[in-house]
C-alpha cells in the first residue's frame, strides 16, 4: 500500500501552467537541494546526538572501547530525559485551542460553526498527540514538523490529516532564519520507501527513475544499504516480499513561485472589483482600450516528486496562499550558524561529566575492594581462596595456624587508596550543573525533596516557564499558521454539507458544514487562552477561590455554573451539574419567605374582597328575595282573590242554576196540575 505521506491531492483549480522543461526544473531543484542539504546535514549531526542522549545512549563508541579496555562500566544516569519530559508534559497539560473571529464591524464574536469545524478537524486526526510529538522533537533537537492535508484515499471527499513528520527527513531553505522558518522559500522531504510502494504511486516511472540516489550521495547522512543490489532488482510477482525490503529514495519538493494577475473593475458591474489573468486582460483591452487594471503578483506554492528525474509534472497542493502545508516548530536559535537547537544541547556536557564521575567512582570502589592488605607467601591456607574471599564480608578467609598469633608469615594492612581532594565536591557539582545550564529548577521537574513554602515553589516553577517562553511562543506561532491551513481546507474543500458536532455550554448538536455557513471571508485566528487543561484549571481555580469574597454580590447561579467550567472537577460531573441546573430552571421554583408572605397578603386581600363582595351579593340577594317574596305574596293574594271571586261567581251560578231548576220544576208542576185539572174537567 502506498505511503500516506505521498497520497495524491487534487490540484487547485487556478494552478498556473505546467513548465515543459522537466530537465531544467530538475537541475534547478537539485541545485537548491545541493545548497540546502549541507546546512541540514550539520543540524542533523547535532540533533542525532541530542536524540541519543535523550534515549540513554550517551557514550560514544570510542569511549565505550576505552572503558572496556580498562574494565570500567559506561554508567548512565539519565538526567536529560526528565528535563525533556517535564517540558513536553507542561505543553500537554497546557494545551490551547484555535478560534476564528470574522473581521466585520461590530462585536468580535468567534464563528461558532467554523471554530467547531476546526475542533472537529483536529479531533478526527488526533492532532494534539501529533503536535505533542513534534514539540518533543523541537525540545530535543530544535525542530519539529507536521503536515496538514486532506487524504482522498481514506475518503473520496477528503479526510482531514494532521501528522508529525520525521525531522530527519526534512531539508529546508538554508537562508531561512526566522522562527518556525517563516521566511523559507523552499522545503524538501527525503523519504525512503519500498520500490513496490513507490511503483504504486508512480506507475509510469521505471525502477531506475524512482530512486533519487543523488540525494543520499549529497547528504551522506543515512545508514548505508545495498542500493546497487536494489537497483538491479527485476523481481516478479512471487518475489514481492523481497522487493518490499529494498528501499528507494524519493524527494518531495515544495517551493514558492510568483504568479502574476491583474486587479480591476468588473466589466459587467464596474462597482465591484475582481481579478483577471493575462489572457483575459488582453481580450478585454482589445474591446475596451485603456481598461484600468493593476498588475500584481502572488506567491503560489508548487510541488513535485523527484527520483533520478522529475517523476510527474508539478502541481499545486491544497494549501493557503503563501504557505507550504508543512509547518515547523523551532527551538532556540544559534544566530552564528543560523541553526535551531533544543534544551538538550546545553545539558550534554554536564551529563557527560556526570557519567564519567559515576564511572570513575565505581572503578575506584571496585579496585579498592580487592586490596587492603599485604601478605607474605604461605600466610593463608589457600592463596587463591584468600584472594577471592578477602573482599567478601560473608565468607571466611583461612589463615595458617599461628599466622595471627606469631611465629608465622606476617600479614599487614595495606594503605587504603584515597579519593582525590575535592572529588565529591566536583561530583556533586556535576549533577547540579544540568539544572544550572538548562535553567530548569528541580521544582519544575518535581524532583526536589525539601520542605518549602508553596508560594516559593510556585515562583520557581514559573521562573522555569519564563526560560521556556521562546519554545512555547514558537508553538503558539505554529498553531496560528496551522490554523490558517485548516481554515483554507474547511472553507474551500470540506464545506460540502457534512455534519459537524458543535460542543457548547448551552447545547450540543450536529449541523451541516456548508459554504454559506462558513463564508469565504477573512478571519482573525486567535489561540484561545481559556484554561482547558488540568494544570491551568487548578491554577485558575486557585485564583478564583481568592476572589470569591469579592464576587459574593455577583455570585448568581448562572455565574456559579460558569465558574464550574474552570474548576478541576471532572468534565462529566460539571456537565451533569449544568444539566440538573437547566432542568431545575425549567421546573417551577419554590417560593421564598418574602414571596410566601406576599402571596399570603395577596390571598388575604383577595379573600377580604371576596367576603365583601359575597356580603354585598348576599344583601342584594336578600333584598331581591324580599322583593320576590312580596311579589309572590301579592300574587298569592291576587290568586286567592281571584279564587274567592271565582268561587263566589260559581256559587252564584249554582244558586242561579238551582233557582232556574226550581223555577222549571215549578213550571212543570204547574203544567202538570193544569193538565190534571184539564183532564179532570174533560172527564166530567
Amino acid at each position: 500500500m502506498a505511503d500516506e505521506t505521498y497520497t495524491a491531492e487534487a490540484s487547485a483549480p487556478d494552478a498556473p501552467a505546467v513548465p515543459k522543461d522537466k530537465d531544467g526544473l530538475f537541475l534547478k531543484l537539485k541545485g537548491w537541494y545541493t545548497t540546502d542539504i549541507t546546512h541540514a546535514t550539520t543540524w542533523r549531526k547535532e540533533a542525532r546526538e541530542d536524540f541519543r542522549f535523550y534515549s540513554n545512549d550517551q557514550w560514544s563508541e570510542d569511549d565505550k572501547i576505552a572503558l572496556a579496555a580498562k574494565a570500567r562500566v559506561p554508567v548512565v544516569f539519565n538526567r536529560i530525559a526528565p528535563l525533556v519530559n517535564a517540558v513536553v508534559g507542561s505543553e500537554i497539560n497546557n494545551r490551547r485551542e484555535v478560534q476564528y473571529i470574522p473581521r466585520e464591524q461590530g462585536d468580535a464574536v468567534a464563528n461558532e460553526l467554523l471554530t467547531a469545524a476546526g475542533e472537529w478537524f483536529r479531533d478526527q486526526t488526533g492532532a494534539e498527540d501529533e503536535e505533542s510529538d513534534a514539540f518533543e522533537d523541537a525540545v530535543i533537537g530544535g525542530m519539529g514538523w507536521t503536515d496538514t492535508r486532506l487524504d482522498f484515499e481514506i475518503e473520496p471527499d477528503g479526510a482531514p490529516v494532521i501528522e508529525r513528520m520525521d525531522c530527519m527527513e526534512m531539508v529546508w531553505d538554508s537562508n531561512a532564519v526566522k522562527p518556525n522558518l517563516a521566511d523559507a522559500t523552499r522545503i524538501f522531504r527525503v523519504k525512503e520507501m519500498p520500490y513496490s510502494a513507490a511503483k504504486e504511486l508512480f506507475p509510469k516511472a521505471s525502477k531506475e527513475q524512482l530512486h533519487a540516489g543523488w540525494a543520499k550521495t549529497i547528504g551522506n547522512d543515512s545508514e548505508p544499504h545495498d542500493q546497487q543490489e536494489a537497483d538491479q532488482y527485476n523481481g516478479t510477482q512471487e518475489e514481492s516480499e523481497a522487493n518490499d525490503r529494498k528501499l528507494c529514495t524519493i524527494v518531495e519538493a515544495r517551493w514558492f513561485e510568483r504568479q502574476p494577475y491583474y486587479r480591476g473593475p468588473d466589466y459587467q458591474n464596474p462597482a465591484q472589483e475582481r481579478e483577471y489573468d493575462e489572457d483575459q486582460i488582453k481580450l478585454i483591452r482589445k474591446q475596451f482600450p485603456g481598461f484600468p487594471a493593476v498588475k500584481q503578483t502572488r506567491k503560489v506554492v508548487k510541488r513535485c516528486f523527484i527520483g533520478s528525474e522529475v517523476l510527474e509534472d508539478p502541481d499545486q497542493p491544497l494549501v493557503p496562499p503563501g504557505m507550504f502545508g508543512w509547518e515547523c516548530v523551532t527551538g532556540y536559535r544559534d544566530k552564528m550558524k543560523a541553526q535551531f537547537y533544543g534544551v538538550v544541547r546545553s545539558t550534554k556536557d554536564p551529563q557527560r561529566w556526570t557519567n564519567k564521575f559515576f564511572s570513575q567512582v565505581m572503578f575506584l570502589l571496585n579496585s579498592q575492594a580487592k586490596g587492603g592488605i599485604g601478605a607474605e607467601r604461605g600466610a593463608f591456607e589457600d592463596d587463591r581462596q584468600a584472594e577471592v574471599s578477602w573482599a567478601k564480608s560473608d565468607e571466611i578467609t583461612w589463615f595458617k595456624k599461628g599466622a595471627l598469633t606469631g611465629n608465622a608469615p606476617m600479614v599487614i594492612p595495606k594503605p587504603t587508596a584515597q579519593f582525590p581532594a575535592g572529588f565529591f565536591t566536583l561530583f556533586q557539582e556535576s549533577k547540579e550543573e544540568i539544572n544550572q545550564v538548562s535553567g530548569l529548577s528541580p521544582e519544575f521537574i518535581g524532583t526536589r525533596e525539601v520542605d518549602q513554602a508553596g508560594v516559593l515553589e510556585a515562583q520557581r516553577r514559573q521562573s522555569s516557564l519564563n526560560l521556556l517562553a521562546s519554545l512555547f511562543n514558537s508553538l503558539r506561532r505554529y498553531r496560528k499558521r496551522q490554523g490558517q491551513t485548516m481554515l483554507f481546507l474547511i472553507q474551500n474543500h470540506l464545506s460540502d454539507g457534512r455534519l459537524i458536532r458543535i460542543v457548547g455550554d448551552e447545547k450540543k448538536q450536529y449541523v451541516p458544514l456548508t459554504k454559506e455557513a462558513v463564508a469565504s471571508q477573512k478571519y482573525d485566528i486567535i489561540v484561545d487562552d481559556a484554561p482547558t487543561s488540568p494544570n491551568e484549571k487548578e491554577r485558575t481555580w486557585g485564583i478564583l477561590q481568592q476572589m470569591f469574597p469579592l464576587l459574593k454580590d455577583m455570585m448568581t447561579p448562572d455565574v456559579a455554573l460558569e465558574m464550574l467550567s474552570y474548576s478541576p472537577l471532572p468534565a462529566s460531573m460539571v456537565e451533569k451539574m449544568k444539566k440538573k441546573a437547566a432542568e431545575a430552571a425549567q421546573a417551577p421554583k419554590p417560593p421564598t419567605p418574602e414571596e410566601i408572605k406576599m402571596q399570603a397578603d395577596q390571598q388575604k386581600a383577595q379573600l377580604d374582597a371576596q367576603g365583601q363582595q359575597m356580603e354585598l351579593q348576599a344583601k342584594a340577594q336578600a333584598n331581591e328575595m324580599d322583593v320576590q317574596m312580596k311579589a309572590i305574596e301579592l300574587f298569592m293574594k291576587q290568586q286567592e282573590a281571584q279564587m274567592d271571586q271565582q268561587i263566589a261567581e260559581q256559587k252564584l251560578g249554582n244558586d242561579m242554576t238551582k233557582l232556574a231548576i226550581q223555577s222549571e220544576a215549578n213550571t212543570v208542576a204547574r203544567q202538570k196540575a193544569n193538565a190534571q185539572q184539564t183532564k179532570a174537567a174533560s172527564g166530567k
Side-chain angles (χ1 to χ4, degrees):
M1 183 177 178
D3 193 311
E4 292 181 0
T5 305
Y6 293 92
T7 299
E9 299 175 356
S11 298
D14 56 348
V18 175
K20 297 181 179 180
D21 185 6
K22 284 189 177 182
D23 292 337
L25 178 61
F26 174 76
L27 293 176
K28 181 177 72 172
L29 296 177
K30 186 176 179 180
W32 286 344
Y33 184 89
T34 303
T35 303
D36 298 336
I37 189 60
T38 304
H39 187 72
T41 302
T42 303
W43 175 86
R44 288 180 185 178
K45 183 178 180 180
E46 190 77 26
R48 280 198 172 92
E49 188 178 56
D50 295 340
F51 281 102
R52 284 199 300 267
F53 265 73
Y54 172 74
S55 302
N56 224 47
D57 183 9
Q58 299 179 354
W59 290 88
S60 66
E61 293 300 325
D62 294 339
D63 288 340
K64 290 180 181 179
I65 294 173
L67 291 176
K70 298 178 182 179
R72 293 174 57 179
V73 180
V75 181
V76 174
F77 285 85
N78 194 346
R79 298 177 181 274
I80 292 178
L83 291 176
V84 174
N85 294 338
V87 177
V88 176
S90 179
E91 183 274 330
I92 293 175
N93 289 327
N94 296 276
R95 286 170 173 162
R96 304 298 187 205
E97 61 182 9
V98 174
Q99 291 187 350
Y100 298 102
I101 300 179
R103 293 181 183 175
E104 56 185 16
Q105 188 174 359
D107 295 336
V109 180
N111 186 314
E112 184 182 27
L113 178 58
L114 193 55
T115 301
E119 294 176 1
W120 168 84
F121 193 110
R122 295 175 58 81
D123 290 341
Q124 294 293 311
T125 61
E128 291 183 343
D129 298 330
E130 298 291 331
E131 290 172 351
S132 294
D133 290 343
F135 182 70
E136 180 179 299
D137 291 343
V139 173
I140 297 173
M143 302 184 79
W145 294 80
T146 63
D147 180 18
T148 303
R149 68 178 193 276
L150 297 180
D151 194 320
F152 293 93
E153 288 187 353
I154 299 176
E155 290 185 13
D157 296 329
V161 175
I162 300 176
E163 66 178 1
R164 172 249 183 194
M165 298 191 298
D166 187 355
C167 55
M168 297 299 172
E169 298 176 353
M170 309 306 297
V171 179
W172 58 94
D173 186 354
S174 58
N175 297 317
V177 295
K178 288 187 177 180
N180 292 22
L181 301 179
D183 56 341
T185 59
R186 56 186 180 267
I187 300 177
F188 302 88
R189 185 179 187 184
V190 184
K191 183 75 173 179
E192 286 190 340
M193 64 177 63
Y195 271 99
S196 58
K199 192 66 176 176
E200 291 179 358
L201 289 174
F202 308 101
K204 296 181 180 180
S206 65
K207 183 171 64 65
E208 293 76 12
Q209 293 173 330
L210 289 174
H211 178 56
W214 54 270
K216 294 184 63 176
T217 302
I218 293 173
N220 194 22
D221 193 47
S222 300
E223 295 297 329
H225 65 278
D226 192 355
Q227 188 60 46
Q228 183 178 1
E229 181 182 350
D231 290 342
Q232 294 175 355
Y233 173 74
N234 291 310
T236 61
Q237 183 71 24
E238 292 76 11
E239 297 172 307
S240 59
E241 293 183 1
N243 188 21
D244 286 339
R245 291 194 295 269
K246 295 175 173 59
L247 302 178
C248 70
T249 302
I250 293 181
V251 179
E252 180 180 356
R254 296 191 181 187
W255 70 98
F256 286 132
E257 289 186 357
R258 297 189 179 276
Q259 183 185 59
Y261 69 99
Y262 292 83
R263 293 181 61 189
D266 190 339
Y267 65 93
Q268 294 181 347
N269 185 5
Q272 296 182 355
E273 192 177 70
R274 57 164 293 184
E275 297 179 1
Y276 303 91
D277 58 28
E278 291 187 2
D279 294 336
Q280 290 174 332
I281 285 295
K282 289 179 181 179
L283 182 61
I284 293 175
R285 284 180 174 172
K286 285 182 179 180
Q287 300 178 359
F288 306 99
F291 180 78
V294 179
K295 183 177 181 179
Q296 294 181 329
T297 58
R298 63 162 62 94
K299 288 199 302 185
V300 177
V301 66
K302 302 295 292 297
R303 175 188 65 173
C304 76
F305 297 92
I306 315 170
S308 61
E309 60 184 48
V310 175
L311 299 177
E312 287 185 352
D313 293 333
D315 64 357
Q316 187 173 334
L318 302 180
V319 294
M323 302 186 71
F324 290 105
W326 295 338
E327 293 299 330
C328 179
V329 183
T330 55
Y332 305 106
R333 181 170 55 189
D334 184 343
K335 294 183 179 180
M336 300 303 296
K337 297 180 180 179
Q339 299 277 10
F340 294 93
Y341 62 93
V343 174
V344 175
R345 176 177 293 187
S346 60
T347 61
K348 287 189 294 186
D349 284 341
Q351 180 67 59
R352 289 191 185 99
W353 196 13
T354 302
N355 292 340
K356 290 182 178 180
F357 267 110
F358 273 115
S359 179
Q360 183 72 12
V361 167
M362 291 185 64
F363 172 73
L364 291 175
L365 292 176
N366 291 336
S367 62
Q368 290 182 33
K370 292 184 179 180
I373 62 170
E376 294 180 354
R377 289 291 183 183
F380 301 99
E381 289 284 350
D382 185 347
D383 292 346
R384 289 185 177 275
Q385 189 270 342
E387 290 179 2
V388 173
S389 63
W390 185 261
K392 298 180 180 180
S393 60
D394 57 346
E395 292 188 9
I396 299 175
T397 302
W398 297 102
F399 290 83
K400 283 189 175 182
K401 189 174 182 180
L404 298 178
T405 58
N407 300 325
M410 293 293 294
V411 177
I412 62 173
K414 185 178 179 180
T416 304
Q418 300 293 327
F419 284 97
F423 180 86
F424 287 103
T425 302
L426 292 175
F427 179 57
Q428 187 66 26
E429 183 71 18
S430 69
K431 294 192 298 182
E432 295 178 354
E433 278 302 314
I434 293 180
N435 297 110
Q436 296 293 332
V437 299
S438 65
L440 302 179
S441 63
E443 288 83 1
F444 177 77
I445 305 172
T447 58
R448 189 173 180 85
E449 298 179 358
V450 295
D451 294 331
Q452 60 183 356
V455 175
L456 177 60
E457 185 167 348
Q459 289 177 349
R460 290 184 174 178
R461 287 181 179 177
Q462 185 60 40
S463 64
S464 297
L465 288 174
N466 293 339
L467 296 173
L468 298 171
S470 61
L471 280 175
F472 286 97
N473 191 45
S474 295
L475 182 62
R476 187 183 186 89
R477 186 183 294 107
Y478 156 80
R479 284 180 174 147
K480 287 184 178 181
R481 290 176 58 88
Q482 196 269 341
Q484 294 179 12
T485 303
M486 283 199 308
L487 175 63
F488 175 82
L489 294 176
I490 290 171
Q491 286 185 323
N492 297 281
H493 302 284
L494 291 180
S495 53
D496 52 7
R498 64 185 72 191
L499 295 178
I500 299 298
R501 183 168 66 100
I502 294 182
V503 180
D505 295 334
E506 302 295 331
K507 57 185 177 180
K508 295 181 179 180
Q509 58 180 338
Y510 283 90
V511 298
L513 183 65
T514 60
K515 290 187 180 297
E516 293 77 12
V518 289
S520 297
Q521 56 180 304
K522 292 185 178 181
Y523 287 84
D524 286 333
I525 300 175
I526 306 298
V527 179
D528 188 14
D529 289 330
T532 57
S533 58
N535 284 5
E536 285 292 328
K537 283 186 175 182
E538 290 180 1
R539 187 171 64 182
T540 304
W541 187 250
I543 296 173
L544 288 176
Q545 285 180 322
Q546 298 176 6
M547 296 177 62
F548 281 159
L550 303 176
L551 301 176
K552 61 181 180 179
D553 295 334
M554 301 171 56
M555 195 60 64
T556 63
D558 294 337
V559 174
L561 287 175
E562 187 65 27
M563 286 186 175
L564 281 179
S565 302
Y566 302 94
S567 70
L569 296 175
S572 58
M573 179 182 294
V574 175
E575 188 65 25
K576 289 181 180 179
M577 296 176 69
K578 289 185 176 182
K579 185 177 180 181
K580 293 292 184 182
E583 293 176 354
Q586 295 177 357
K589 297 181 180 179
T592 61
E594 292 78 5
E595 292 176 346
I596 294 175
K597 183 178 180 181
M598 185 180 298
Q599 290 178 358
D601 294 340
Q602 291 177 353
Q603 290 178 356
K604 183 178 179 181
Q606 290 177 357
L607 290 174
D608 293 341
Q610 290 178 358
Q612 293 177 359
Q613 186 176 1
M614 290 177 63
E615 185 177 357
L616 293 175
Q617 289 178 353
K619 289 181 180 179
Q621 289 178 356
N623 294 333
E624 186 176 356
M625 290 293 293
D626 291 341
V627 173
Q628 290 179 355
M629 290 299 295
K630 290 180 180 180
I632 292 172
E633 185 178 357
L634 179 60
F635 176 76
M636 293 298 294
K637 289 181 179 180
Q638 290 176 353
Q639 291 292 325
E640 288 179 0
Q642 290 178 359
M643 290 294 293
D644 292 341
Q645 184 178 357
Q646 289 177 357
I647 292 171
E649 290 177 352
Q650 187 175 5
K651 185 176 180 182
L652 179 59
N654 291 338
D655 292 341
M656 293 295 293
T657 303
K658 288 180 178 180
L659 289 176
I661 293 172
Q662 187 66 37
S663 176
E664 185 176 357
N666 293 333
T667 301
V668 172
R670 281 196 302 271
Q671 290 177 354
K672 185 176 180 182
N674 291 333
Q676 289 177 356
Q677 288 176 2
T678 302
K679 183 177 179 182
S682 61
K684 293 178 175 184

